[in-house]
Amino acid sequence: YIILDMKEIYRFILEYEKIFYLISRIQPVPAAGEGVTLNIAIVDDCLQDSRHLAQLLSNYCSVCSLSLQVSAFTHASDFLRSWKSGVFDLIFVDIFLDQDSDTATGIRLAEHIRREDTGCTIIFTTVSPDYALKSYSLKALDYLIKPISQEDFP
């Protein structure tokens, strides 16, 4: 027998609700089996955070019978070499892409993306609320404070 802690079950359900919230704001979630593939980029210098987010997205898409293509990048320059307008349905961008820097390289990356693609969906992930207002001027869909938790979504 497997004994499940109710807190863990609740946390698991809420993580799926968060991913549903994000994806449903990008496009309507189709009925199971319709064969939609979401192409998502994660630009984050912290591999652990990137993997965690990719796993949440993968789990959600699996439950909803959605196909998912996740591309992870640890540097803005790597992302820009692979990116062109319209390639990604959603881009998660960490505000501080260089752990040894206080500069908001993720904001500069989003500014570059916006100059080339005004309709691209961007969600910022970060450890600091300091750039939340700036993110709205860049028309970000959301601004998530790490670690992403159940309190992030209604």
Side-chain angles (χ1 to χ4, degrees):
Y1 294 99
I2 298 174
I3 299 173
L4 298 174
D5 180 9
M6 289 307 291
K7 287 181 183 177
E8 283 298 307
I9 293 171
Y10 182 68
R11 184 186 60 76
F12 183 76
I13 291 169
L14 288 174
E15 284 182 355
Y16 280 109
E17 288 176 352
K18 285 185 263 181
I19 300 304
F20 173 79
Y21 172 80
L22 291 173
I23 292 174
S24 66
R25 289 182 64 188
I26 302 166
Q27 64 186 38
V29 177
E34 281 190 26
V36 171
T37 299
L38 295 172
N39 196 9
I40 297 174
I42 301 172
V43 188
D44 195 323
D45 61 334
C46 179
L47 289 175
Q48 182 178 358
D49 291 345
S50 184
R51 287 181 185 141
H52 175 69
L53 181 55
Q55 186 61 51
L56 290 174
L57 291 164
S58 177
N59 291 345
Y60 171 78
C61 287
S62 172
V63 167
C64 295
S65 299
L66 296 172
S67 296
L68 176 67
Q69 175 65 43
V70 175
S71 301
F73 304 91
T74 55
H75 295 67
S77 59
D78 294 338
F79 170 78
L80 288 172
R81 279 193 287 278
S82 299
W83 175 78
K84 62 181 175 181
S85 181
V87 170
F88 296 107
D89 299 306
L90 173 62
I91 304 170
F92 288 89
V93 179
D94 183 18
I95 297 284
F96 300 103
L97 287 173
D98 184 357
Q99 291 179 355
D100 298 327
S101 174
D102 289 337
T103 61
T105 53
I107 292 289
R108 289 197 309 271
L109 173 61
E111 289 170 341
H112 179 84
I113 293 168
R114 275 290 169 254
R115 282 192 299 272
E116 303 292 323
D117 186 350
T118 58
C120 179
T121 303
I122 298 172
I123 295 176
F124 286 107
T125 61
T126 184
V127 295
S128 168
D130 294 345
Y131 292 89
L133 290 177
K134 179 66 177 173
S135 75
Y136 290 107
S137 72
L138 292 167
K139 296 180 177 65
L141 176 64
D142 215 333
Y143 188 93
L144 305 176
I145 303 293
K146 296 178 185 181
I148 298 173
S149 67
Q150 63 190 12
E151 292 83 28
D152 292 325
F153 301 99

